[in-house]
Amino acid sequence: MVKFPFSFYAVMVQEDYHRNNPYHNAVHAADVTQAMHCYLKEAKFAESVSPWDILVGLLAAATHDMDHPGVNQPFLIKTSHHLANLYKNTSVLENHHWRSAVCILHESKLFSHFSVEESYQIERQLGSLILATDISRQNEFLSQLQTRLDMSDLYLNDACHRHFMLQIALKCADISNPCRPWELSKQWSEKVSQEFFHQGDIERKYKLDISKLCDRHTETVANIQIGFITYVVKPLFVEWSRFTNSTLSQTMLGHLSLNNASWKGLLQGQTQSGEETDSVCREQD
């Protein structure tokens, strides 16, 4: 019998992340879990969330990318990967992360003392949270959040409303790197781009169409991050700040603005350098 089931569970979760992935690895999981912890402690949230909400939220954060293969859904679909076939090309990675999380819950016997109904509820809610991290559903969740805030239609004493905000919190935690100080944010940006470019290299090698953002010959870390911040991160965190109205959320938006300006500065420098190189080459010709 395992004396410390949580320790056993935590080790199993860590080992199910691929350490060779530059970005989607156990460190990313820990980073997201730390962010989720901070968001759950926001005053607007903390006064309403239950111990159950906190448990499910942190477990989802820790397991949201389990067994990530280091490639994205379009790659799995175009290569007819067994996971794409299994999940019918829909939220392929997120479904796999969820099922992997549930398997480890069972194997570790972490909640062996739970009733059948409690076990079912935690597995179902884990799935709902992890599936919400599918980036293709970004506009769906953002629109819902904007509407609820505009209409003052968020009642955190309602379990369904709290669960929706847990989904939003996890989505924020998952893409929070651009909201961290520059030196840390820049490292994460380089790691995710490294993973993208590795996928593009594989696609080029096997003469597949190169996925968006994955071509190292046409993309740069800077332009990837500027687009990501502009169209994905900032819209969500602006609404999150409306919800929390906290010092932390304002600080994150401040970092986000500074980081975006830094990437634009780097991109401008790269563009000018490229133009100077082209000019020299023309002169030599």
Side-chain angles (χ1 to χ4, degrees), residues 143-269:
S143 178
Q144 288 184 48
L145 178 58
Q146 289 170 331
T147 300
R148 287 187 180 278
L149 291 173
D150 289 344
M151 299 179 66
S152 298
D153 183 30
L154 266 177
Y155 304 101
L156 296 182
N157 58 335
D158 183 304
C160 291
H161 286 213
R162 286 201 311 276
H163 185 76
F164 172 70
M165 289 312 300
L166 284 175
Q167 291 176 309
I168 296 297
L170 182 56
K171 289 179 70 62
C172 287
D174 192 26
I175 61 171
S176 63
N177 296 146
C179 298
R180 296 184 182 273
W182 169 249
E183 286 305 321
L184 182 57
S185 177
K186 182 172 179 286
Q187 289 182 61
W188 280 116
S189 301
E190 290 167 346
K191 287 182 179 298
V192 74
S193 297
Q194 183 183 348
E195 195 167 292
F196 289 164
F197 294 157
H198 177 66
Q199 175 181 319
D201 292 343
I202 296 172
E203 290 168 332
R204 181 177 290 104
K205 178 179 179 181
Y206 291 101
K207 296 179 169 48
L208 301 170
D209 290 338
I210 299 178
S211 299
K212 185 178 181 181
L213 308 181
C214 295
D215 191 339
R216 68 171 70 247
H217 300 307
T218 60
E219 300 284 355
T220 66
V221 179
N223 64 27
I224 290 173
Q225 285 304 304
I226 291 168
F228 184 52
I229 289 170
T230 302
Y231 299 110
V232 179
V233 184
K234 185 177 180 180
L236 184 60
F237 274 91
V238 165
E239 300 306 320
W240 177 255
S241 181
R242 284 179 65 196
F243 166 68
T244 60
N245 191 29
S246 68
T247 301
L248 175 60
S249 62
Q250 289 301 312
T251 300
M252 290 191 297
L253 285 176
H255 287 317
L256 187 64
S257 179
L258 290 171
N259 292 340
N260 199 33
S262 295
W263 286 120
K264 287 181 177 179
L266 284 175
L267 185 61
Q268 184 177 11

Side-chain angles (χ1 to χ4, degrees), residues 5 12 20 27 29 41 55 59 62 65 91 102 119 122 126-127 147 150 155 179 194-195 222 228 256 263 272 276:
M12 292 179 70
N20 290 331
V27 182
K41 291 183 73 66
L55 173 65
L59 287 179
D65 271 334
S91 297
V102 169
S119 295
I122 202 164
L126 268 179
T147 300
D150 289 344
Y155 304 101
C179 298
Q194 183 183 348
E195 195 167 292
F228 184 52
L256 187 64
W263 286 120
Q272 291 174 345
E276 290 171 1

